[in-house]
Structure formats: C-alpha cells, structure tokens
Amino acid sequence: MLSKILFIALFFLIALSMPVLAVERDSSGRIARSAAVKYEFKKSNPCPATGRPRGACPGYEIDHIVPLKHGGADATDNMQWLTVPEHKAKTKRE
C-alpha cells in the first residue's frame, strides 16, 4: 500500500516538473506563423509551378513537415511544397 502511494506521488512530481509546450496563437486562435519565415522559404525554394520566389503558387501549398500542432517549428527547414491534394491528404492523416 505504501509503495503504491509513493509511486503515485512520484508520478505527480514528475508530471508537474515537465514543461508544457505553449504554442503562440493569433487573435483568431490559430497557431501564429511568421511571414518572414514564409518569405525566406519561398526565396530559397521557388514555386514548383512557376519557378518564382514570390507571388501565388497555383496548385501548391506550403506544408510544415512536422505539424505546428505537434511541436514542429515554424522554420524553413520544417517546410516543403506539396500539391493541394497531397497537402489535404497529409493534413487529414495528422
């Protein structure tokens, strides 16, 4: 009985000492994203459809390889171009 109580106490001490990953959100409640990071990604990875580093990219969307909601960084090395259907399918799986 005493070992069970010690185990539970130890569990709660460990759980309370672990950091909570807080995600910054915008005024709409969505995870905040950096326009500067998106610009840098597009500059170094031009649109697959147009070959341009600026403007619209028809048929493609920027995807976070590790989703922001799962702790992925809003950084250029965590971004990739996906076609719109690929992005929708990936988002649905996540």
Side-chain angles (χ1 to χ4, degrees):
M1 178 70 173
L2 182 60
S3 62
K4 187 175 182 180
I5 293 170
L6 289 173
F7 174 78
I8 292 170
L10 181 61
F11 174 79
F12 280 108
L13 284 173
I14 292 170
L16 292 173
S17 68
M18 296 179 79
V20 176
L21 295 176
V23 178
E24 187 177 336
R25 301 208 175 248
D26 64 17
S27 60
S28 302
R30 295 182 57 159
I31 296 173
R33 301 206 25 217
S34 168
V37 172
K38 186 176 179 181
Y39 172 80
E40 286 301 318
F41 172 78
K42 289 174 113 180
K43 192 166 91 172
S44 60
N45 300 276
C47 170
T50 65
R52 296 182 177 176
R54 290 188 301 272
C57 187
Y60 287 85
E61 295 177 340
I62 297 174
D63 170 65
H64 286 87
I65 299 164
V66 177
L68 299 175
K69 68 181 180 181
H70 294 296
D74 190 22
T76 58
D77 61 347
N78 189 39
M79 294 178 168
Q80 64 182 348
W81 287 110
L82 291 179
T83 64
V84 173
E86 289 171 336
H87 194 209
K88 284 183 181 181
K90 181 176 181 271
T91 301
K92 190 175 183 179
R93 286 190 310 269
E94 298 169 343

